[in-house]
Amino acid sequence: MDDVIVIGGGPAGLMAAIAAGEAGARVRVLERMPLPGRKLLLTGGTRCNLTHDVDARGFVAACGPGARFLHNALGRLDPPATRTLFERLGVRIRKEPDGRCFPASGKATDVLDAMLKRLHALHVPVKTEVRVVEIRLEEAAGRPEGRYWPFHVLVEGGGDFPCRRVVIATGGLSVPETGSSGDGHALARALGHRVVPARPGEVGLTVEASGVRALAGLSVDDVVVTARQAGRSAQVRGAILFTHYGVSGPAILDVSRLIAQWQGPARCDLAIDLVPDQSPDALDGALAAAFSAYGARSPVRIVSTWVPERLAELVVRTANLTDETAARVSAAERRRLASAMKALPIQATGNRGFAEAVVTIGGVELRDIDPKTMESRIVPGVSFAGEVLDLDGPRGGFNLQIAWSTGWAAGVAAAAAKGASPVAAK
């Protein structure tokens, strides 16, 4: 019989299994897909952005208020300790100037292979193509000591895996082709947990306006995107990409995560600042000087010195300028043009859904979880780790670090059930 059953062979589940296995616990991983770690292999564009070079305080600040829950887990395994752990597993780490950390090889497969190799050395089996359908609790009354297993993990087809502790690390709903099906949310609800409704995060936004969709393939490297919805607002700086369905790119992915956290409709108003380093007055002055110096040129041609020409055409139309020479543009029209460049309005009608989302926003309610151990406050002996929880972070290795930290904490707690103490990560 097993001391610990880990449900889910993704980043959090594999880390939980390593932590518990290093403590000497008898561990088994149950994975729904034919192979473990499929989502891990997609992270960082298959390069695996496995963490970010930041301390615990900076990590929490980057992830937002809800990440205060992570203080204890980060105390056990923070980004520096994570790098040390993977170096110990044989994965050399390369830190990039922006703080993102990748395996030096640039291959996510090296990270997965190292984790599976460690599990093999710990004699931890990873059983694939097994879907867990129920976690049943067994009454202790009448059971002889040493022959009582509090939990029975029941799988599709009739299998039963009795164990002393369970770690649920099944992920969320994003990228369902990797096995993220929401099974963990269903298991949590069946055990009495509250689950915050799941929404797609870090995902492209759809736009119906034909003028925006006509810009498909065009990108701008540095803009500020402001999203507004029902009196709330969020702002992100970065690159934007226009697509056949609307808008994407780093800034849009980041702001979509913040929109999803509002738990409102996906529709929202966007304002794109195309010249973030110039104030409205400074931009108006620059336009006035350009219009005066090149009065025979069209407004589109002048604006295209700041942004790509196709985008300049949309800006000029948005400002309601006719296709006349710059010399004929009035001061009021020029100010409208500057306003359109500083806050190009785009209405997002929705998003591309879980199929294209990088992360799941929502999950098991954190008030039901002990932040020191990731153990359920409702069903002691059951722990949660990774994306199944209502935890998320921005791009750049933050979400994988959440998986590593919560997985390690959950594995520690599970191993402690038999009095074991896992090898220190730091």
Side-chain angles (χ1 to χ4, degrees), residues 126-218:
V126 180
K127 188 172 179 61
T128 58
E129 297 186 280
V130 178
R131 182 184 182 187
V132 175
V133 295
E134 184 182 354
I135 299 171
R136 185 173 296 169
L137 280 66
E138 181 177 320
E139 295 293 336
R143 296 287 180 176
E145 186 176 355
R147 297 185 61 82
Y148 163 59
W149 290 271
F151 302 102
H152 287 259
V153 178
L154 307 182
V155 304
E156 204 168 52
D160 178 1
F161 294 86
C163 60
R164 301 186 189 282
R165 289 291 187 272
V166 178
V167 178
I168 300 176
T170 53
L173 287 166
S174 58
V175 199
E177 67 188 47
T178 63
S180 299
S181 60
D183 284 358
H185 296 165
L187 293 172
R189 289 190 186 96
L191 293 171
H193 289 81
R194 294 166 289 184
V195 177
V196 178
R199 289 92 60 205
E202 296 185 21
V203 63
L205 301 178
T206 57
V207 178
E208 291 180 358
S210 59
V212 174
R213 295 170 71 143
L215 299 175
L218 185 149

Side-chain angles (χ1 to χ4, degrees), residues 303-317:
V303 173
S304 65
T305 62
W306 278 272
V307 300
E309 185 173 356
R310 282 196 294 155
L311 181 54
E313 292 172 355
L314 177 62
V315 171
V316 170
R317 287 200 305 272

Side-chain angles (χ1 to χ4, degrees), residues 217-230:
L218 185 149
S219 63
V220 184
D221 290 338
D222 186 22
V223 302
V224 171
V225 179
T226 302
R228 294 186 176 87
Q229 181 193 92

